[in-house]
């Protein structure tokens, strides 16, 4: 059986990925603080299993408890293929280094970097123990590759997840593991995260005008389309370990 685990599945890109997995008859394990109310019916229609695990990814103990529970239940079923998508992310704090709020700094590191690394670490171990084929996609951003005025935490944590992905892939290749890990850069999408960006201030985020224009000029991609492209890539199976895939090369 095939299973997809998607963090931040409740809305935005995560919702797009989760819905496409259900369409493709992949059993879904959704993780976020709130539940997407459409998944249960969509899973029933597709004839696949659906489980929701509430989890606050900004809490180390929540991540540890919930993902150990998920991994124990999942790998006991001896799944043929597991698709893990670390999608949940936060843009905040949007402010200048020197004015950042301490809790927001730590939450950003925890949700965008520590949680996906902890989850990857656990799943890579379990997949090797059980012989399941594991594909991991860590959702990243173009901000991983350029400094953006006001986004020091977001740029830093996304850059770090790219390097974690590349390094873990190097290690997997060197030990001829069948597990694969990639990063996925989804481009700019019409989601809640973009609303947060547009509602920041010019002082905190110098490029705000450009981002408001993206919305006004309908330049934001739909998260459904971007999610579909990732699911297509993963199901194809022929992914290049450690590569950062950009949505535009997949559409
Ligand atoms: N939108 C863009 O233009 C854009 C561009 C580049 C990269 N990305 C990346 O794409 C990914 C998805 O972003 P999005 O635009 O879809 O964002 P979004 O609409 O704000 O959705 C974020 C998702 O993450 C979950 N989440 C946030 N904090 C969480 C926490 N503490 N614990 C558990 N879940 C949490 C939310 O679920 P709950 O609120 O239910 O917990 C929600 O499902 C992120 O990694 C983001 O960095 C987005």
């Amino acid at each position: 059986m095939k299973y997809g685990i998607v963090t931040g599945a409740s809305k935005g890109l995560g919702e797009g990925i989760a819905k496409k997995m259900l369409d493709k008859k992949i059993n879904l394990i959704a993780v976020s603080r709130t539940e997407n109310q459409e998944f249960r019916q969509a899973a029933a229609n597709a004839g696949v299993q659906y489980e929701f695990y509430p989890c606050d990814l900004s809490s180390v103990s929540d991540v540890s408890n919930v993902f150990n529970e998920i991994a124990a239940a999942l790998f006991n079923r001896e799944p043929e293929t597991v698709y893990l998508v670390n999608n949940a992310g936060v843009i905040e704090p949007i402010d200048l280094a020197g004015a950042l709020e301490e809790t927001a700094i730590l939450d950003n590191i925890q949700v965008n970097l520590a949680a996906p690394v902890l989850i990857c670490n656990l799943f890579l171990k379990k997949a090797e123990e059980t012989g399941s084929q594991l594909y991991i996609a860590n959702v990243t951003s173009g901000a991983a590759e350029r400094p953006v005025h006001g986004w020091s935490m977001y740029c830093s944590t996304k850059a770090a997840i790219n390097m974690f992905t590349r390094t873990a892939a190097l290690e997997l290749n060197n030990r001829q593991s069948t597990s694969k890990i990639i990063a996925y850069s989804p481009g700019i999408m019409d989601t809640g995260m973009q609303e947060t960006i547009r509602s920041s201030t010019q002082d905190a985020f110098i490029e705000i005008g450009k981002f408001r224009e993206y919305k006004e000029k309908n330049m934001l991609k739909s998260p459904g389309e971007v999610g579909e492209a990732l699911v297509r890539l993963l199901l194809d199976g022929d992914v290049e370990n450690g590569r950062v895939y950009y949505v535009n090369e997949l559409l």
Side-chain angles (χ1 to χ4, degrees):
M1 295 251 275
K2 293 180 174 175
Y3 285 87
I5 298 94
V6 182
T7 70
S10 59
K11 49 187 179 260
L13 177 59
E15 178 182 21
I17 295 166
K19 281 187 170 164
K20 191 36 75 178
M21 284 186 169
L22 291 174
D23 275 2
K24 293 288 179 189
K25 304 209 177 298
I26 297 170
N27 301 292
L28 175 67
I29 298 175
V31 183
S32 48
R33 290 165 301 186
T34 56
E35 183 173 13
N36 184 307
Q37 297 302 327
E38 293 174 30
F39 291 163
R40 202 162 294 279
Q41 191 57 53
N45 294 344
V48 295
Q49 297 167 26
Y50 162 67
E51 292 155 85
F52 170 65
Y53 285 83
C55 179
D56 182 352
L57 295 167
S58 70
S59 152
V60 184
S61 60
D62 238 29
V63 172
S64 172
N65 293 337
V66 171
F67 278 88
N68 275 298
E69 195 184 328
I70 292 174
L74 174 64
F75 288 97
N76 270 347
R77 294 174 208 165
E78 298 181 352
E80 165 203 341
T81 312
V82 174
Y83 302 100
L84 165 66
V85 183
N86 283 306
N87 159 77
V90 288
I91 183 80
E92 299 101 328
I94 300 179
D95 216 331
L96 310 186
L100 301 171
E101 209 249 304
E102 278 183 17
T103 321
I105 294 175
L106 297 172
D107 281 356
N108 186 293
I109 295 171
Q110 176 60 32
V111 175
N112 291 359
L113 179 61
V117 168
L118 289 165
I119 300 164
C120 287
N121 190 49
L122 177 64
F123 272 55
L124 286 166
K125 177 168 175 269
K126 291 283 184 186
E128 242 156 67
E129 284 169 5
T130 58
S132 297
Q133 174 64 54
L134 175 64
Y135 292 92
I136 300 175
N138 292 321
V139 177
T140 182
S141 165
E145 295 162 34
R146 72 175 182 109
V148 181
H149 179 117
W151 291 6
S152 55
M153 290 315 304
Y154 187 71
C155 292
S156 302
T157 49
K158 291 297 187 183
I161 203 67
N162 282 7
M163 188 50 86
F164 173 78
T165 302
R166 292 171 57 195
T167 309
L170 172 76
E171 295 165 359
L172 291 170
N173 286 342
N174 285 348
R175 62 176 188 270
Q176 277 98 44
S177 168
T178 58
S179 295
K180 303 268 187 194
I181 183 166
I182 61 163
Y184 182 50
S185 188
I188 43 167
M189 299 170 289
D190 200 1
T191 67
M193 184 175 281
Q194 286 289 328
E195 281 173 35
T196 306
I197 292 167
R198 288 193 300 274
S199 62
S200 62
T201 64
Q202 171 81 32
D203 283 347
F205 178 46
I206 217 161
E207 296 183 36
I208 193 166
K210 187 166 87 181
F211 277 70
R212 287 183 174 153
E213 220 176 283
Y214 287 153
K215 174 69 176 170
E216 282 156 18
K217 294 193 172 161
N218 240 338
M219 291 166 72
L220 301 173
K221 288 199 168 64
S222 101
E225 179 190 18
V226 177
E228 181 173 356
L230 176 62
V231 174
R232 214 182 310 122
L233 174 72
L234 291 174
L235 288 187
D236 180 40
D238 189 23
V239 295
E240 186 185 327
N241 227 352
R243 176 163 160 190
V244 179
Y245 284 87
Y246 299 87
V247 66
N248 285 338
E249 46 179 333
L250 302 178
L251 291 178

